[in-house]
Amino acid sequence: MLTISLFVVALLSAMLPVVALNSLNLYVQAAKESAAGQSGGYTYQISGGSNDVAEELRQQVQNGKAIGVKSTQGSVGLTSASGSSRNTIADITFLTGPSRYGTLIEGHQPSQKNEISLSRAAAEQIDAQLGDIVTVQCDDSALSSDYKLIGITVDAANTNTVYATAVSSKDNLQNIQMWLTDDDATVNQGEVAKESATNNVNIGYIKSTIRNAEETVRTRDLP
C-alpha cells in the first residue's frame, strides 16, 4: 500500500510542471488573441494628426488600403415575432470594411455594409441568433440602423465583455477616430509618415501589442 501511495505522489509531482505549462500556454494564447481582437487585428493602428492626415487616410479608405473606425456606446436590440423587444448596452465599433475584432466562435466576421457581429455575452443578453436583424441605436443617427447578425465573437481574455462590431457605409463614418491598415506604405509615406516623425500621429504596431501581452502574462504567471 505504501508503495502505491509513493507511486501516486511521484506521478502527481511529475505531472504538475506539465499542467502548469499547459495552463500558462492557455493564458498566453488568450492574451495574444485578446490583444489582436481588441486592436482590430490589422498590422497598424493609426490615430491623431492634422486635417491633412485625416484627408490622406480617408483617401486610403476609399482606395481600400485602410479601414476607418469609430467607437461609441449604444444600444443593441432584437424585436421578436410577437413584438416584444430585448435590448442591452454595448461598446460598439463601426468600421468601413472587414472586421477582425474579437475571436470568432460562430458564423463569420462582418465584412459588408449593414453586417454585425456580437460578443457572446451581448447575444445572450438579447437572445440573438445568427441571421437575426439587430437594431443599433447610438448618438450618431447615420449609424443607428438595422444590421444582420452574421457572427458571434468573444474577447479571449474576458469572455463576459458586451460589445458589437458593425460595418457601415464609408460615407456614414464622420469624424473618424482611428484607422487600421496592413499597408506599409500608408504609414511610411506622405502626411502620416511626416507627422508621425513629430509624434503628432500615433502609429500602433499591433504585432508588438500582441508580443507585449504575451510577455506580461509570462511575467505574471511564472514562479
Side-chain angles (χ1 to χ4, degrees):
M1 194 69 175
L2 178 60
T3 302
I4 294 175
S5 298
L6 290 174
F7 173 76
V8 171
V9 169
L11 180 61
L12 289 175
S13 298
M15 288 175 61
L16 282 175
V18 176
V19 173
L21 181 59
N22 287 340
S23 297
L24 176 60
N25 288 338
L26 290 174
Y27 277 125
V28 169
Q29 185 59 34
K32 291 167 67 177
E33 289 183 11
S34 179
Q38 291 178 4
S39 302
Y42 287 80
T43 305
Y44 302 102
Q45 187 180 83
I46 308 169
S47 60
S50 66
N51 290 334
D52 290 338
V53 167
E55 181 56 38
E56 182 174 275
L57 288 170
R58 278 193 289 268
Q59 188 59 50
Q60 293 295 72
V61 168
Q62 295 297 330
N63 292 339
K65 294 183 177 179
I67 302 292
V69 183
K70 183 172 183 179
S71 298
T72 187
Q73 192 173 71
S75 167
V76 294
L78 183 68
T79 301
S80 68
S82 64
S84 61
S85 61
R86 300 185 67 175
N87 299 274
T88 190
I89 300 300
D91 293 322
I92 307 172
T93 301
F94 295 97
L95 306 172
T96 62
S99 170
R100 299 178 190 170
Y101 279 85
T103 299
L104 186 70
I105 59 173
E106 190 176 354
H108 306 278
Q109 288 279 19
S111 61
Q112 304 298 321
K113 184 174 69 173
N114 290 109
E115 292 181 343
I116 194 171
S117 65
L118 296 179
S119 68
R120 181 169 58 192
E124 288 176 349
Q125 288 182 17
I126 65 172
D127 197 23
Q129 307 293 326
L130 293 182
D132 286 341
I133 303 301
V134 175
T135 299
V136 174
Q137 297 289 336
C138 63
D139 57 2
D140 189 330
S141 59
L143 299 173
S144 298
S145 185
D146 291 339
Y147 295 82
K148 183 177 181 179
L149 178 60
I150 68 162
I152 306 294
T153 67
V154 294
D155 177 344
N158 184 359
T159 57
N160 293 321
T161 305
V162 180
Y163 64 88
T165 309
V167 177
S168 187
S169 167
K170 297 174 183 179
D171 298 328
N172 286 345
L173 289 179
Q174 303 300 319
N175 303 316
I176 290 178
Q177 303 160 339
M178 188 170 66
W179 290 264
L180 302 170
T181 184
D182 289 324
D183 183 44
D184 293 335
T186 296
V187 298
N188 292 319
Q189 298 177 9
E191 294 298 321
V192 173
K194 185 186 303 183
E195 294 195 23
S196 68
T198 62
N199 296 320
N200 195 38
V201 168
N202 300 313
I203 299 177
Y205 184 50
I206 293 175
K207 290 182 180 178
S208 175
T209 302
I210 294 171
R211 184 166 58 251
N212 290 340
E214 179 177 351
E215 291 305 316
T216 298
V217 172
R218 288 188 179 277
T219 301
R220 186 184 66 201
D221 286 275
L222 284 176

